[in-house]
Amino acid sequence: MNHALAQAVRLAPVVEKVHGAHHPELTRVRELTQALADTTDDARIDGYYAELRAVTDNYTVPEDACEGFTSHYRALQESEQFWQNR
């Protein structure tokens, strides 16, 4: 697992707990983040990143996001870039 994905996995449950009431999509973001960490199937990984882009509006950070939320989306985006450039 690359460093950015490991960071995203650590942040996902925290961000969901803090912001989930106002951002229900974070439950799916957490699930997809964990799924990325748990699979080695290239087709599934591509699909997970595609769904993450859709659910997060291409990793757009909402205006009410804290530093952890911002870091989480940044880590997901960096993880996807790492995946694409491997």
Side-chain angles (χ1 to χ4, degrees):
M1 178 180 341
N2 68 61
H3 174 73
L5 181 56
Q7 181 180 8
V9 168
R10 283 191 305 274
L11 289 169
V14 176
V15 171
E16 179 189 18
K17 182 177 180 180
V18 172
H19 293 279
H22 293 100
H23 297 280
E25 72 278 3
L26 289 172
T27 297
R28 187 63 183 145
V29 172
R30 178 189 46 77
E31 293 168 350
L32 290 165
T33 302
Q34 190 60 54
L36 283 168
D38 292 342
T39 191
T40 57
D41 182 298
D42 287 2
R44 284 187 181 197
I45 291 171
D46 287 337
Y48 293 149
Y49 280 122
E51 188 175 347
L52 274 169
R53 285 191 309 278
V55 170
T56 64
D57 191 25
N58 290 311
Y59 308 108
T60 300
V61 178
E63 289 184 21
D64 64 339
C66 66
E67 185 177 329
F69 198 138
T70 302
S71 295
H72 181 224
Y73 274 24
R74 186 179 314 124
L76 286 169
Q77 191 169 26
E78 289 173 9
S79 174
E80 182 174 7
Q81 289 169 345
F82 178 84
W83 170 253
Q84 291 173 346
N85 295 325
R86 62 180 166 55

